[in-house]
Amino acid sequence: MTAWSLREQFPAPDAIELALPHWLPAAWDKSVASRRCSNALNAYGHAFGYFTEEATSDAGARFAAVIEAVTGTRTPSQAEKTAADHLLNAAAPDTLTESEATKAAKDILMYALRSETVHTGQLHGPESLGGMPLGMFSADGDPSYVHHMTTGVLQHLCRDILIQSLGGPTNDPSAILQGLDGIREGWMSIGPPLPV
């Protein structure tokens, strides 16, 4: 789709060939055939929309739902196990222990905060500031910023788990783990991070 219409004076833009990953056609078939996959894709799309609008609390809840949909579970412990298993299996050999992967999964999924958002409506991200802009601060001193940054890490983890569950390649989780380590160490930043 383009913005071009028959009423405009300019010719339509030339078609551009788009090369799709080799695994994508089979992933499409799988997503159509599996309710879990279609639910996970739908949840991811909505979560990403919330995240780009900086409605981080809602995005975090929906990103967690992606992992729940992929696993077919409603329990935090099973979703955390799925995330930990993914991190452990995708990491280079001998770079991550099982306990480190479990701790990372718990920290990234933020189930306690998600539960407060879903059940009581409490906001944890920048939306809780009531429109005040984020400025220069340390991540370890601003809970709303920590939540926003961690939701960004969760977004990347969900994307990787979703791609793998659809038959795509397994991505090295080192960037995800480095992002989490940076949050734990208290990054300094100016303004909110750009969603990617």
Side-chain angles (χ1 to χ4, degrees), residues 156-181:
H156 289 287
L157 177 62
C158 286
R159 179 201 59 207
D160 289 355
I161 289 173
L162 194 52
I163 287 171
Q164 185 182 17
S165 74
L166 290 169
T170 301
N171 293 314
D172 179 3
S174 59
I176 290 169
L177 296 170
Q178 287 171 355
L180 181 61
D181 286 343

Side-chain angles (χ1 to χ4, degrees), residues 49-165:
Y50 279 118
F51 187 59
T52 57
E53 295 295 320
E54 294 188 8
T56 314
S57 299
D58 291 325
R62 288 181 182 268
F63 280 131
V66 171
I67 296 174
E68 292 171 354
V70 166
T71 19
T73 186
R74 292 183 182 196
T75 65
S77 60
Q78 186 58 46
E80 288 169 353
K81 183 178 178 345
T82 298
D85 288 348
H86 174 81
L87 292 170
L88 201 55
N89 295 330
D94 301 322
T95 59
L96 188 65
T97 67
E98 189 173 337
S99 64
E100 290 170 335
T102 299
K103 171 108 172 78
K106 281 179 127 12
D107 290 350
I108 293 169
L109 281 166
M110 304 179 288
Y111 261 104
L113 298 180
R114 175 190 186 266
S115 180
E116 289 176 355
T117 297
V118 172
H119 299 295
T120 69
Q122 186 172 345
L123 302 176
H124 301 284
E127 71 270 28
S128 66
L129 301 176
M132 289 176 49
L134 297 173
M136 185 174 187
F137 40 77
S138 168
D140 61 354
D142 186 338
S144 64
Y145 186 65
V146 171
H147 186 276
H148 186 76
M149 293 292 293
T150 306
T151 302
V153 172
L154 175 58
Q155 180 254 320
H156 289 287
L157 177 62
C158 286
R159 179 201 59 207
D160 289 355
I161 289 173
L162 194 52
I163 287 171
Q164 185 182 17
S165 74

Side-chain angles (χ1 to χ4, degrees), residues 26-47 62 65-72 162 165-166:
W28 177 260
D29 293 340
K30 188 174 183 177
S31 73
V32 171
S34 167
R35 184 80 163 157
R36 275 191 201 169
C37 289
S38 62
N39 287 346
L41 284 167
N42 192 21
Y44 184 87
H46 286 287
R62 288 181 182 268
V66 171
I67 296 174
E68 292 171 354
V70 166
T71 19
L162 194 52
S165 74
L166 290 169

